[in-house]
């Protein structure tokens, strides 16, 4: 059956605060779940609901928390579906089969053996993405194997491994050295001694490199990541195989304890969490997870430090500001914009057998539009007071005494908004009709009664409620929704599809009867996606 979900394209969609289309999928967090969520290979699944404007919510279903593509995990179960014993057993067996072939302990044992080998015997199979011990060589004879793996290479696994995710777009979002260096320097200036890296393998790497370098820093780091390949390079106390969308530790209680000990060491003093989740991910499950990590840290606090918050850096695109602040009102978005990520050319890497890393700055693909404006929408969201975070003046940042934060050169203080309002490094203009600052490319539209791109189509999607279309509330608080069905914590994301998938859907539609999506909704989705793109790039 066609499950009504697709995370691709939600990147832009969710972040455009409130700009909802007419259909979408929400995650539901029932306040008192009657039954625990069923498990997929990636831990507990999440409960989703498909919503259509003007209709009550439809049947709810469970699907994988981590995989945005059904090709990667096709778990699907209606909320009220009863499974036979045989099917449950088959699922259990499937979940087992999907777990990594080696246990965490086995990985560590292999690693210890590997570093004891002489350089000439240290091999890495690029095809299998695996460090090889002499016993393995034969099995990888036909594969692309690189030899002489140095200690330096072992310390930089993110350069040795191929980017796993985003194969479709040929890019994994690793920090460039400069961005990573900026972060490490910042963490050290702020006096942190422990960093919980959630989905930041390259930051983890650099912190550890510094800790073992000549000018030793004393910062410790623990990496939590779903990319199991990293377990080959780290001991148990510095890597946990983890799913940040459901707070699932793949190696059970032992791994959870590693994380707890790390957070609670020194009564929780000196620790910060830094996370850089995939953009396509949903904000609410992430927020729920981060609150669990915060709670874990809090347990280790002494009574008198009750008011304190776990310091967090959440690296995410600026257009998610509204969503993030819904869950973490104390968070503020820093103006640091030269926060680039490495663009890895997978095709070229395959061709040349090595990684070619390109700084966004230098990559033609990321020189946007005619102006060649270098656009990185990535920002740091944090609960650390922004006046403590000094942004480099050599890169044009200055301190705004009124806002008590560092802002980029063109970001001018608006006396009407009483704030430095630009979000994207350009000077924004104040619109007296909208009573706020808007992007320089926008003009006030009297038909829409708000500012928009000059060539927008008037009367586009409004911020209204999914059920009745009224503008003053959202679906979850709609008076027309049956009380029993009301969900207390919902999160919206639009099912905007990638062009390719749209095409394949169109094709399927020709042959499959009863496909729920008709032609008009496909074109609507297309134009919505284009609007989203236009919005981001305008
Ligand atoms: N900029 C970061 C990397 C961010 S890419 C750096 O350079 O260190 C996103 C990271 O999140 C990847 O390492 C990926 O493996 C990880 N990730 C993706 N989905 C995840 C999930 N569900 N749980 C935990 N980590 C995940
Ligand atoms: Zn799954
Ligand atoms: Zn200001
Ligand atoms: Zn203004
Ligand atoms: Zn306006």
């Amino acid at each position: 059956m066609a499950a009504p979900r697709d995370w691709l394209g939600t990147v832009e969609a969710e972040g455009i605060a409130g700009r909802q289309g007419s259909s979408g999928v929400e995650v539901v967090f029932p306040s008192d779940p009657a039954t625990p969520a069923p498990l997929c290979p990636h831990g507990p699944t999440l409960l989703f609901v498909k919503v259509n404007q003007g209709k009550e919510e439809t049947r709810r279903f469970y699907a994988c928390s981590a995989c945005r593509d059904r090709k990667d995990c096709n778990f699907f179960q209606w909320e009220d579906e009863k499974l036979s014993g045989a099917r449950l057993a088959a699922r259990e067996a499937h979940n087992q089969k999907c777990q990594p072939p080696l246990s965490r302990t086995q990985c560590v044992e292999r690693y210890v053996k590997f570093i004891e080998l002489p350089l000439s015997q240290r091999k890495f199979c690029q095809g299998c993405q695996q460090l090889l011990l002499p016993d393995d060589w034969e099995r990888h004879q036909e594969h692309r194997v690189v030899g002489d793996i140095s200690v330096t290479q072992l310390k930089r696994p993110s350069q040795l491994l191929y980017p796993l995710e985003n194969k479709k777009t040929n890019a994994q979002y690793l920090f460039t050295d400069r961005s990573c260096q900026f972060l490490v320097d910042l963490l050290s200036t702020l006096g942190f001694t422990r960093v919980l890296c959630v989905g930041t393998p390259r930051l983890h790497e650099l912190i550890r490199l510094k800790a073992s370098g000549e000018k030793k820093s004393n910062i410790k780091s623990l990496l939590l990541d779903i990319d199991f390949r990293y377990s080959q390079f780290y001991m148990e106390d510095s890597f946990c195989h983890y799913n940040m969308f459901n707070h699932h530790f793949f190696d059970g209680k032992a791994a959870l304890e590693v994380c707890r000990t790390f957070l609670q060491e020194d009564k929780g003093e000196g620790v910060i969490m830094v996370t850089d989740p995939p953009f396509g991910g949903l904000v609410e499950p992430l927020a729920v997870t981060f609150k669990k990590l915060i709670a874990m840290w809090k347990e280790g606090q002494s009574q008198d430090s009750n008011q304190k918050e776990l310091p967090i850096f959440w690296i995410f695109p600026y257009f998610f500001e509204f969503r993030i602040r819904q869950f973490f009102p104390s968070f503020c978005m820093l103006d640091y914009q030269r926060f680039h990520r490495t663009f890895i050319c997978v095709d070229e890497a395959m061709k040349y057998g090595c990684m070619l890393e390109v700084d966004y700055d230098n990559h033609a693909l990321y020189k946007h539009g005619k102006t060649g404006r270098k656009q990185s929408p990535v920002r740091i969201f944090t609960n650390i007071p922004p006046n403590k975070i000094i942004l480099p003046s050599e890169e044009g940042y200055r301190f705004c005494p009124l806002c008590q934060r560092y802002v980029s050169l063109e970001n001018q203080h608006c006396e009407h908004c009483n704030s430095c309002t630009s979000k994207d490094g350009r000077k924004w203009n104040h619109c007296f009709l909208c009573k706020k600052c808007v992007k320089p490319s926008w003009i006030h539209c009297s038909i829409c009664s708000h500012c928009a791109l000059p060539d927008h189509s008037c009367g586009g999607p409004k911020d209204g409620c999914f059920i009745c279309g009224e503008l003053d509330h959202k679906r979850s608080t709609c008076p027309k929704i049956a009380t029993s069905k009301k969900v207390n914590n919902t999160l919206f994301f639009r099912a905007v599809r990638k062009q390719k998938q749209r095409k394949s859907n169109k094709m399927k539609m020709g042959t499959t009867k009863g496909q729920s999506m008709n032609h008009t909704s496909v074109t609507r989705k297309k134009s919505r996606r284009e609007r989203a793109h236009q919005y981001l790039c305008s």
Side-chain angles (χ1 to χ4, degrees), residues 40 42 64 73:
C40 78
H42 308 93
C64 181
C73 181

Side-chain angles (χ1 to χ4, degrees), residues 431-435 438 443-445 449-451:
C431 169
F432 288 94
L433 294 165
C434 290
K435 298 192 181 68
V438 297
I443 51 159
H444 193 85
C445 169
S449 336
H450 59 71
C451 284

Side-chain angles (χ1 to χ4, degrees), residues 66 165 172-175 199-203 224-227 242-245 276-278:
E165 293 186 274
Q172 186 182 41
Y173 302 108
L174 294 167
F175 299 130
T200 56
R202 188 156 276 184
L203 177 65
L224 309 184
D225 202 287
I226 202 162
D227 190 345
Y242 177 76
N243 181 353
M244 66 168 106
F245 289 105
D276 186 8

Side-chain angles (χ1 to χ4, degrees), residues 414 417 430 436-437:
C414 167
C417 296
H430 190 83
K436 64 176 183 190
C437 284

Side-chain angles (χ1 to χ4, degrees), residues 225-291:
D225 202 287
I226 202 162
D227 190 345
F228 176 73
R229 299 171 306 165
Y230 283 103
S231 59
Q232 303 176 77
F233 300 90
Y234 298 115
M235 308 295 271
E236 282 106 329
D237 64 351
S238 51
F239 174 78
C240 299
H241 188 203
Y242 177 76
N243 181 353
M244 66 168 106
F245 289 105
N246 57 6
H247 188 54
H248 175 67
F249 287 87
F250 291 83
D251 296 287
K253 208 163 178 313
L256 176 98
E257 287 312 318
V258 167
C259 178
R260 190 196 305 279
T261 308
F262 189 84
L263 283 172
Q264 297 183 354
E265 197 181 310
D266 248 348
K267 289 211 180 90
E269 281 299 306
V271 68
I272 180 170
M273 183 188 102
V274 182
T275 183
D276 186 8
F279 295 173
L282 299 163
V283 173
E284 184 165 23
L286 290 172
V288 169
T289 290
F290 300 156
K291 288 189 190 229

